[in-house]
Amino acid sequence: MLSPRQLFLQHQAQTTDFPLLLEVEKAEGVYMYGPAGQRYLDMISGIGVSNVGHRHPRVLQAIHEQLDKYLHLMVYGEIVQAPPAQLAHALAQTLPEGLDNVYFVSSGSEAVEGACKLAKRFTGRTELIAFNNAYHGSTQGSLSLNGSENFKRAFRPLLPDVRHIRHNQLEDLDQITSRTAAVILETVQGEAGVRVPTKEYLQALRQRCTEVGALLVLDEIQSGFGRTGTFWAFEHFNIVPDILTCAKGMGGGMPIGAFISRQEIMHSLKNDPMLGHITTFGGHPVSCAASLATLRVIQEEGLLAQVEAKANRFKERLVHPAVREIRNLGLMMAVEFDSFDTLKRIIDKAILKGVLTDWFLFCDNSMRIAPPLTITFPEIDTACDLVLEAIVEEVGF
């Protein structure tokens, strides 16, 4: 009989010539476990997914309880189901007044697709503005918004009427005009290597969108659900978007996403045409039950209050001459080295020592640090010790 590794290589579509090929039999908390007893400290949370850790007991309980009731019943929006209705209400309670209408989807890319369709439909405009080094997903629409030509070149032609401007540059804001349907921005740029805009810039962007009637779409697919120390990253900047997208950390490990807006805006998808956005599995009851449990864990177990101190512990401990800079907002962190070659050797050595880290798509000389928010201070110390050992063994001094 073929092993899982052999089956993976023979029959599962690959995305690179060098997959990690870590075999995982079980995961719990901040750890993943291999078939021979290997233990890996997960410092990237499945790329921002496992914010409350792997298999959190309250998430598992919610999943089990929903499994005993029903699974998929009908395409989105036709049948009243308690899990998505309760989750939509709970999400609205975390948001400023007016952001109270939630459309559930299955992924972050689909959330971006829905948000951009909504903006075009509501404004009657066609132009979308995104940012250099932005990442918003891999479907053709969301790929059109991505800010790296290297990732788009092979798939052109993509969406027309998409413009890219420089991130955090006030002088580019005049390119947002009365032709613009929406400006879409990661509140914290993720794959660019954790680039945090200034409060001045985001407030000026908000004002410019309001002046010309463009909708401001904030992509919090990576930064939402507590990752930065507030439930939503935009809370750090005293602004409110017109449309908000989320996914990744909202499901506690289950697939789910959403785009959220005012009822006035969202209702434009109901007519001309009717069913302006359709999804089969959006609002899946099991995923919504898991997401509601995840939200409650973040709120009720004090995770937000601990994020800044935990991030500071990483910054205090990850000190070495080879570390050029540490950028972060909360536990969304980038540790910069001189080159990809240096970083790749450190990452590979750290994995051998039992710590899983990663780099960023558009910033391949920086190490991604985004552990579950549930990580303890002793676990942070262990992770930092092992990463520092890897640095010393690969770089020296």
Side-chain angles (χ1 to χ4, degrees):
M1 179 180 294
L2 295 178
S3 69
R5 179 184 293 252
Q6 291 170 317
L7 293 171
F8 173 90
L9 291 170
Q10 287 189 24
H11 298 294
Q12 191 169 337
Q14 306 294 302
T15 57
T16 72
D17 290 325
F18 45 90
L20 281 176
L21 289 177
L22 291 182
E23 291 189 53
V24 175
E25 285 197 345
K26 184 179 179 180
E28 189 166 5
V30 299
Y31 289 101
M32 300 186 297
Y33 299 90
Q38 308 97 315
R39 189 174 77 163
Y40 304 98
L41 255 170
D42 182 3
M43 289 295 101
I44 53 177
S45 304
I47 314 298
V49 169
S50 304
N51 283 11
V52 298
H54 296 283
R55 300 176 62 250
H56 191 285
R58 291 176 64 177
V59 174
L60 292 183
Q61 180 182 356
I63 290 171
H64 291 155
E65 289 176 356
Q66 184 56 42
L67 290 177
D68 288 335
K69 296 175 182 176
Y70 53 84
L71 303 181
H72 174 76
L73 298 179
M74 180 64 170
V75 296
Y76 178 83
E78 297 298 325
I79 291 179
V80 176
Q81 302 174 71
Q86 292 168 352
L87 176 59
H89 174 71
L91 286 170
Q93 299 300 111
T94 70
L95 289 162
E97 184 177 357
L99 282 178
D100 60 358
N101 226 238
V102 183
Y103 196 119
F104 291 114
V105 291
S106 301
S107 70
S109 288
E110 192 187 352
V112 169
E113 296 280 354
C116 290
K117 286 175 64 179
L118 177 61
K120 285 182 170 183
R121 176 66 186 84
F122 181 74
T123 63
R125 304 174 183 179
T126 60
E127 181 181 71
L128 299 171
I129 292 182
F131 291 81
N132 294 344
N133 289 324
Y135 183 82
H136 296 289
S138 293
T139 53
Q140 290 193 74
S142 59
L143 183 63
S144 303
L145 303 167
N146 284 357
S148 170
E149 183 59 29
N150 183 52
F151 274 75
K152 296 191 288 188
R153 186 178 299 116
F155 306 104
R156 290 193 177 278
L158 295 168
L159 280 183
D161 217 3
V162 175
R163 178 196 300 266
H164 287 82
I165 61 177
R166 293 175 298 170
H167 183 255
N168 208 35
Q169 298 294 314
L170 288 166
E171 56 266 37
D172 283 11
L173 296 183
D174 61 4
Q175 297 183 49
I176 305 167
T177 71
S178 58
R179 288 194 63 251
T180 308
V183 179
I184 181 166
L185 172 73
E186 298 162 271
T187 310
V188 178
Q189 281 198 317
E191 297 310 313
V194 186
R195 307 294 174 173
V196 184
T198 64
K199 183 179 291 188
E200 175 192 20
Y201 177 77
L202 278 192
Q203 292 180 350
L205 172 61
R206 170 69 275 180
Q207 182 178 349
R208 179 63 177 172
C209 288
T210 301
E211 287 172 355
V212 302
L215 299 186
L216 176 59
V217 181
L218 291 184
D219 177 339
E220 299 221 359
I221 290 165
Q222 282 198 55
S223 61
F225 268 69
R227 173 57 52 191
T228 68
T230 53
F231 198 88
W232 303 106
F234 70 78
E235 296 175 55
H236 292 282
F237 302 96
N238 297 326
I239 63 166
V240 178
D242 297 298
I243 305 174
L244 178 69
T245 67
C246 53
K248 286 188 178 289
M250 74 182 292
M254 294 293 288
I256 186 172
F259 56 102
I260 306 170
S261 191
R262 302 191 301 274
Q263 192 171 93
E264 169 199 7
I265 296 174
M266 195 70 80
H267 278 192
S268 63
L269 291 177
K270 293 166 56 177
N271 301 291
D272 299 324
M274 181 175 60
L275 301 173
H277 191 69
I278 304 171
T279 176
T280 297
F281 294 112
H284 192 284
V286 178
S287 292
C288 286
S291 180
L292 182 58
T294 298
L295 186 154
R296 297 301 186 213
V297 167
I298 293 170
Q299 290 179 326
E300 296 170 10
E301 296 190 7
L303 299 186
L304 295 178
Q306 302 171 20
V307 167
E308 184 175 1
K310 290 176 178 179
N312 287 339
R313 179 67 71 92
F314 275 107
K315 291 192 286 187
E316 291 163 3
R317 294 296 311 278
L318 288 176
V319 176
H320 186 276
V323 175
R324 292 185 163 192
E325 180 185 20
I326 298 179
R327 297 180 297 275
N328 80 293
L329 190 60
L331 284 171
M332 190 172 177
M333 311 185 75
V335 183
E336 184 174 303
F337 295 87
D338 67 331
S339 67
F340 173 72
D341 178 68
T342 297
L343 175 59
K344 183 63 164 63
R345 289 186 285 115
I346 293 168
I347 287 173
D348 290 346
K349 182 58 67 74
I351 289 173
L352 293 176
K353 294 178 176 293
V355 178
L356 177 62
T357 63
D358 190 21
W359 65 88
F360 298 90
L361 288 178
F362 308 148
C363 185
D364 64 7
N365 68 333
S366 293
M367 176 185 290
R368 186 192 308 268
I369 300 289
L373 307 183
T374 55
I375 192 169
T376 65
F377 288 97
E379 288 165 343
I380 292 172
D381 291 340
T382 297
C384 290
D385 288 343
L386 295 174
V387 168
L388 288 169
E389 286 180 16
I391 294 172
V392 170
E393 291 177 20
E394 291 302 321
V395 179
F397 52 85

